Amino acid sequence: MASSPDRGEARPNSWRAQHRARSHDAAHAETESVPEESKTVRHALVPEGPPAIITSDPDLADLIAQLRESGSFAYDSEFIGELTYFPKLCVIQVASSSRVALIDPLAKIDLRPFWELIADPSVEKVVHAGQQDLEPIVRHLDRQPANVFDTQIVAGFVGLPYPVALSRLVQELTGARLGKGLTFTHWDQRPLSPMQVRYAADDVRFLPLVRDELGKRLHANNHTAWATEECDALCDASQYRFDPATQYLRVRGAASLQPRNLAVLRELTIWRDATARHHDVPPRAFLKDEILIDLSRNPVKSVEKLERVRGLPRPVEQEYGNDIVEATRRAMSLPGPQLPEQREAEQSPTERFRADGLWALAQCLCAGQSIDPAILTSRQEMADFYRPLSTRQDVSQSRLMKGWRRAALGEPLSRLVDGSGDLNLRWEKGSLRVVDAPARQ
């Protein structure tokens, strides 16, 4: 087709592909040898030695049997995401307390048994910022992952920053220093270089020990149930599927649009996703968010007027102009009750000041419970929570009044605002602590 990127030419010339190539060359030019660890860590939960490379179904079956028997293992993956609709999976890393292995998805190997393992609730999977690593299970099995312990999430419940980089967390909890990351490298090259093998293995090598240390801290803080609930939410299959009812809200700039324009954006987002999937390109690479916003803010009702849209690629205009106009017309013809809801009106200066006061209280409550505020809420969410709370409206449908967030923040804030509770803080052993106080009678 005229407008789709040519797999042999246009894709490698994208700025992301060029950045990956430069990063790859720079990283591998630093040294021909594999660097030594700055600090060696010897522990029963840290497997030693080079990883096994798994390239056959029998070897994968043996590995899965060992991982299943261990009851818990670390999992990570390396992929290239800037060229295709779904990221290209290049390497899968796993580690138990006894071994490290790299699975080669580019070999002729059936990965379904491994995805079944990730979906098995009887075996714990330890990941770090694992959302993208868990997506293939939903796509390939139409099931969701289960029994996941995300070390980045859990760190936010034990007095550590959220989000935190893997290298910082490993050094904090184990003393080991990971080498320079190779996020942008050609993970699809074969054979993998010694440097790639080393760094891929180290991404999971220390996770069993990190998980053990975090588990101890969770128990000491009585936050195990809360962290488990948040990790379970990471497994929700709805996070990994395109939802036409909500996906448009993720487009940068959507919050600035009126309801009718939001309806146009919703239709265009659905069209963009389907077309990008058909041509196997990332949606934002096929058509940038800012162009969708422009098309939504200034709806185009005829193909001839598309030439005025700044930045709209001419091949897309020529091949998909009718589709863009038709999607716009569908949105423009919707009756009022079917239009998306717009965010509430901007707060007045007084409301903003008071909402910021509630945000400050929320930060204190979080810090006093050794929880990073970023894992629980945000300043914007607190502003949205303030208005109904301050006017005694129903807030039961707020995310802050559901699950563990209700106990950690929603209820304490509600009691403070309605005058039925107090907030007592104490600086203890170098940290802020919330001191339980009885509700007022």
Side-chain angles (χ1 to χ4, degrees):
M1 88 163 197
S3 62
S4 64
D6 181 82
R7 287 187 173 85
E9 296 179 3
R11 287 185 176 181
N13 288 331
S14 71
W15 74 266
R16 287 183 180 273
Q18 293 178 38
H19 174 62
R20 182 178 294 277
R22 288 194 299 269
S23 299
H24 175 88
D25 293 342
H28 291 265
E30 289 180 359
T31 177
E32 293 295 328
S33 61
V34 178
E36 295 297 324
E37 289 179 348
S38 300
K39 185 175 181 181
T40 301
V41 174
R42 296 189 179 277
H43 191 281
L45 294 178
V46 178
E48 298 182 359
I53 309 296
I54 307 299
T55 59
S56 69
D57 289 333
D59 287 345
L60 179 60
D62 289 343
L63 175 63
I64 290 174
Q66 293 177 26
L67 296 175
R68 192 179 298 279
E69 184 178 358
S70 71
S72 176
F73 67 93
Y75 161 53
D76 190 20
S77 62
E78 305 294 345
F79 45 81
I80 297 175
E82 66 266 21
L83 302 179
T84 54
Y85 183 86
F86 292 113
K88 181 181 181 181
L89 183 62
C90 299
V91 182
I92 296 173
Q93 308 105 287
V94 295
S96 65
S97 60
S98 60
R99 68 175 301 188
V100 183
L102 306 183
I103 303 169
D104 186 359
L106 304 185
K108 293 182 179 180
I109 189 170
D110 181 11
L111 291 175
R112 186 178 180 88
F114 181 76
W115 302 139
E116 294 279 359
L117 179 64
I118 304 298
D120 187 345
S122 69
V123 182
E124 180 186 67
K125 279 69 64 173
V126 182
V127 300
H128 183 85
Q131 188 172 43
Q132 288 186 297
D133 305 302
L134 299 175
E135 182 275 330
I137 292 81
V138 177
R139 175 160 38 105
H140 293 296
L141 300 184
D142 197 23
R143 291 164 55 193
Q144 63 185 35
N147 196 356
V148 170
F149 186 102
D150 191 308
T151 56
Q152 186 177 75
I153 288 175
V154 174
F157 286 89
V158 297
L160 295 172
Y162 175 85
V164 61
L166 175 63
S167 59
R168 299 293 298 274
L169 187 61
V170 167
Q171 185 173 353
E172 173 84 11
L173 298 182
T174 74
R177 296 180 181 176
L178 301 183
K180 182 179 178 181
L182 294 180
T183 300
F184 282 99
T185 187
H186 286 298
W187 287 110
D188 56 346
Q189 75 170 13
R190 294 297 182 270
L192 294 171
S193 71
M195 180 180 289
Q196 287 175 309
V197 170
R198 169 63 176 273
Y199 287 124
D202 281 355
D203 273 353
V204 291
R205 188 185 303 275
F206 301 97
L207 282 180
L209 178 55
V210 168
R211 188 262 178 267
D212 185 65
E213 294 295 324
L214 288 174
K216 294 174 183 176
R217 297 190 184 192
L218 273 181
H219 179 74
N221 287 347
N222 294 317
H223 287 166
T224 301
W226 290 358
T228 299
E229 184 181 334
E230 194 67 9
C231 287
D232 287 346
L234 187 67
C235 298
D236 188 344
S238 65
Q239 292 196 46
Y240 305 100
R241 298 189 176 112
F242 179 86
D243 183 358
T246 61
Q247 194 72 25
Y248 70 100
L249 296 173
R250 301 182 184 181
V251 176
R252 290 183 288 268
S256 66
L257 299 178
Q258 298 294 320
R260 180 68 63 184
N261 305 97
L262 280 174
V264 176
L265 178 62
R266 181 171 59 189
E267 290 293 333
L268 290 176
T269 302
I270 295 170
W271 161 78
R272 180 180 70 169
D273 184 82
T275 308
R277 183 191 291 251
H278 175 73
H279 294 294
D280 194 24
V281 295
R284 286 188 173 96
F286 179 76
L287 197 63
K288 295 178 180 179
D289 280 2
E290 50 264 38
I291 299 175
L292 284 190
I293 294 296
D294 191 6
L295 287 167
S296 302
R297 183 174 287 115
N298 304 292
V300 177
K301 300 178 182 179
S302 68
V303 174
E304 293 74 22
K305 292 183 179 179
L306 283 173
E307 64 181 14
R308 305 176 187 174
V309 179
R310 184 177 181 181
L312 179 64
R314 295 307 133 200
V316 174
E317 174 193 336
Q318 293 166 9
E319 185 153 355
Y320 292 105
N322 287 326
D323 293 341
I324 293 172
V325 171
E326 180 57 32
T328 302
R329 288 174 177 169
R330 283 197 303 271
M332 297 298 289
S333 65
L334 287 175
Q338 295 183 24
L339 296 178
E341 293 184 4
Q342 186 185 24
R343 182 183 291 276
E344 292 186 6
E346 185 178 353
Q347 293 175 308
S348 69
T350 298
E351 288 176 324
R352 178 60 184 269
F353 183 82
R354 291 173 178 172
D356 282 350
L358 196 65
W359 169 234
L361 281 173
Q363 291 176 298
C364 289
L365 274 166
C366 290
Q369 298 175 89
S370 297
I371 299 174
D372 190 299
I375 201 169
L376 200 160
T377 187
S378 67
R379 186 172 185 168
Q380 182 60 57
E381 186 176 40
M382 196 55 52
D384 294 339
F385 188 57
Y386 164 76
R387 179 168 288 167
L389 193 65
S390 64
T391 54
R392 303 295 193 270
Q393 297 178 43
D394 180 26
V395 293
S396 61
Q397 297 307 306
S398 169
R399 189 177 75 121
L400 295 175
M401 296 301 288
K402 296 179 180 179
W404 70 271
R405 285 176 172 81
R406 180 186 182 105
L409 190 60
E411 285 188 348
L413 284 181
S414 297
R415 290 196 300 267
L416 282 166
V417 172
D418 68 21
S420 64
D422 293 314
L423 174 59
N424 295 313
L425 301 171
R426 176 185 301 163
W427 193 261
E428 186 177 278
K429 297 180 180 179
S431 298
L432 190 66
R433 291 286 181 262
V434 173
V435 182
D436 290 334
R440 296 177 184 173
Q441 300 300 320

